[in-house]
Amino acid sequence: MCGIAGLLDQRLAGNERELSRTALAMADRIAYRGPDASGAWVDVAAGLALSHRRLSIIDLTTAGAQPMISADGRWVVSYNGEVYNAADIRHNLASAGIRWRGHSDTEVVLESVAHRGLAVTLSELNGMYALALWDRRERVLHLARDRLGIKPLFLSVLDGRVSFGSELKALRAAQTKPARIDPRAVACFLRLGYIPAPYSIFSGFEKVLPGGLISIGADGCVSRSRYWKLEDAVSAGRGAPAVLSDAEAIAQLSELLADAVKRQMISDVALGAFLSGGVDSSTVTALMVATGGEKVRSFTVGFRDFSFDESAQASAVARHLGTTHTELIMTAADALAVVPKLSFIYDEPFADSSQIPTYLVSRLTRNHVSVALSGDGGDELFAGYNRHLLGARYGSHIDRIPRAARRIIAGLLETVPHGLIDKAARILPRGSVPARPSELIAKLASILPLNSDELYNRLVSQIVTPALHLSSPEYMSEFGQPSSSLDLLDRMRFSDTVTYLPDDILQKVDRASMAVSLEARPPFLDHRVVEFAWRLPRHFLIRDGETKWILRRVLDRLVPPHLTERPKMGFSIPLAEWLRGPLRDWADDLLSQSQYGGGLLNPVPAQVLWKEHLARKSNNAYQLWTLLMFESWRRQWT
């Protein structure tokens, strides 16, 4: 795992010193992504420079150093990620007579391109990666990102200069002019809490799409394509669904996941697992243990606020599996210490509040190992969110109930005080109700008046109040729109996988883990697992009101159900109370009308939300966190 960066600028052709200086400066901005080594390579005649920061995971010798040149001298790569089928590809290249310099997957990717071409290589890679590949003969720069968007890759084509890198801060080191905020991106951020690809917070900067390939000639000509699209996997899966018994389906998924986990445990350094005690992370950890290798290390964070704490369940799963388990009980003081770092770590506005515990568990894990496997992707693939259950149960019925009747019911729900709902819930047995019932009821009241086509966007929205934004009408990416032929559940799963997963979940984990030089690997996002999940008929996903039905049956083989069966909690924090308590002064400062918004956000409705929240008239924690994260970012980066 590493950080990559580089530039292509014909105006610098012949200026080796400036090319090298700029490329190294770009890489130094993201040095934490690769603290073990750095390097740069320059094609002086083309005005091209590649740079690299190395976190040594596979082949710790200098034979794995980057940028790396192919044996024939034609190709040069700066590569971030891991390819889990590198041994298979290496075997397939046996007849090519290659004299291997080491055993890094970087060299395998490079020599595969040299001998079989880029298209064939990309079609065969199983892994997470972002790569920059320079063709010295054709004078073309190729940028490619893995199928699911696990690893980030940013690109800018401005004022005759192409720059790229793992994070925006690397690109900004190569810019000669101040970057301008894109108001469309701000609108997306307010709605979603993140900025969906291909957009970024700055005009002229973009995220390479998952499964994307961008080729740029020395003359600046840019071509874009996709070598893999989820749409194709969905079409193939729904066009020819699997015909399997329960036992056959469970056995096939078990075998596929076991292989994915085993492949992702390949490492020349110590590795472990994030373990929350939920279905997804427990499945990954249990499969790691089942490989029968060295004793697995597992890590979790918990909270002093009992309603948010999953550490007891994680510890119980760890004891059953026999892992060496480490946990951190998190306090408000821990959160306060992290909050000032968030804008730097996340590089552009980002408002998933679980970024705090994700960073803390990453830091805890890095004290012991260099690689951690995670359960990310299980919810998106196997229908694990509450909204999926809603879509499965009511998707075909919502539009049949008159909207006026739904509005009346919603109005009645809105009159019930949030505090009363939560107090009543505490009387009931723990585990019999969701962790935050008032939030779910408020969400239900907000969506009841909507028709099915409007439902998903509202369910995933942080803020829906246009008055908060001064500069642009609401704007949503044209990417991530599912086929109208899919039912509501599949439309939700599709949109989650092409937007929420890569642009929120995976970016959250990438930034938090790489900030402490930890590599995080998600076995569920092996593309073979993704394609298998879309071949499964609905009854394998949701059955008798149970989400992730088939994944739970896989886990039942490894962990007793009572250890993991509980309402879905997510990786959340007691944000509402922290904003009223230890984070109040910080929030007060950011929301002060004298400085707030920079002309992009309206301070008046923001103050209304804040005052209502402090007075406990409503719980506006997530809307406020979105506004606070934007303002915190704006003050640091503009």
Side-chain angles (χ1 to χ4, degrees), residues 305-548:
D305 184 324
F306 190 66
S307 67
F308 289 82
D309 186 32
E310 295 182 297
S311 60
Q313 288 84 359
S315 295
V317 172
R319 285 193 298 272
H320 172 79
L321 294 174
T323 67
T324 300
H325 189 62
T326 304
E327 70 178 27
L328 169 70
I329 301 302
M330 182 177 161
T331 67
D334 296 318
L336 281 168
V338 174
V339 167
K341 304 175 183 179
L342 294 176
S343 293
F344 178 82
I345 292 171
Y346 285 91
D347 223 17
E348 63 179 358
F350 187 81
D352 183 335
S353 61
S354 63
Q355 62 202 125
I356 295 175
T358 302
Y359 172 81
L360 288 170
V361 76
S362 295
R363 190 174 67 184
L364 171 70
T365 304
R366 186 61 178 91
N367 290 334
H368 303 274
V369 300
S370 298
V371 179
L373 272 61
S374 78
D376 294 316
D379 287 318
E380 290 78 8
L381 297 183
F382 299 103
Y385 292 123
N386 291 326
R387 57 179 171 267
H388 296 156
L389 188 59
L390 181 67
R393 282 178 171 172
Y394 306 116
S396 60
H397 306 296
I398 291 174
D399 295 336
R400 298 177 186 174
I401 303 174
R403 182 173 284 203
R406 286 184 274 124
R407 284 174 174 160
I408 292 172
I409 297 171
L412 292 173
L413 290 175
E414 288 173 344
T415 63
V416 183
H418 291 184
L420 181 62
I421 296 170
D422 290 334
K423 285 180 181 178
R426 293 191 190 106
I427 300 173
L428 300 174
R430 189 169 190 264
S432 63
V433 295
R436 299 172 295 281
S438 63
E439 293 176 18
L440 289 180
I441 289 177
K443 179 78 80 172
L444 178 61
S446 72
I447 65 175
L448 269 175
L450 305 177
N451 290 327
S452 60
D453 289 339
E454 305 165 322
L455 181 62
Y456 177 80
N457 281 344
R458 180 61 66 86
L459 285 171
V460 298
S461 294
Q462 298 281 64
I463 293 176
V464 295
T465 308
L468 287 163
H469 191 202
L470 293 172
S471 304
S472 174
E474 180 183 330
Y475 181 82
M476 297 296 287
S477 171
E478 66 266 29
F479 297 92
Q481 299 304 313
S483 169
S484 59
S485 65
L486 300 176
D487 63 23
L488 181 58
L489 172 61
D490 281 351
R491 295 203 306 271
M492 287 180 170
R493 291 173 61 218
F494 177 87
S495 293
D496 282 339
T497 306
V498 296
T499 54
Y500 179 65
L501 178 65
D503 296 320
D504 184 311
I505 300 298
L506 296 176
Q507 296 311 291
K508 172 185 66 182
V509 175
D510 174 83
R511 299 305 191 280
S513 60
M514 293 310 296
V516 294
S517 306
L518 174 74
E519 176 175 301
R521 301 175 177 177
F524 283 119
L525 297 183
D526 183 310
H527 68 277
R528 300 170 302 161
V529 178
V530 174
E531 291 164 356
F532 178 82
W534 279 100
R535 292 181 55 231
L536 292 173
R538 174 185 287 191
H539 67 275
F540 287 118
L541 305 175
I542 295 179
R543 187 181 299 187
D544 299 327
E546 185 177 47
T547 60
K548 293 189 287 195

Side-chain angles (χ1 to χ4, degrees), residues 226-244:
R226 305 280 295 282
Y227 67 90
W228 188 90
K229 294 189 293 185
L230 182 65
E231 294 94 316
D232 296 336
V234 172
S235 178
R238 286 295 173 249
V243 181
L244 299 168

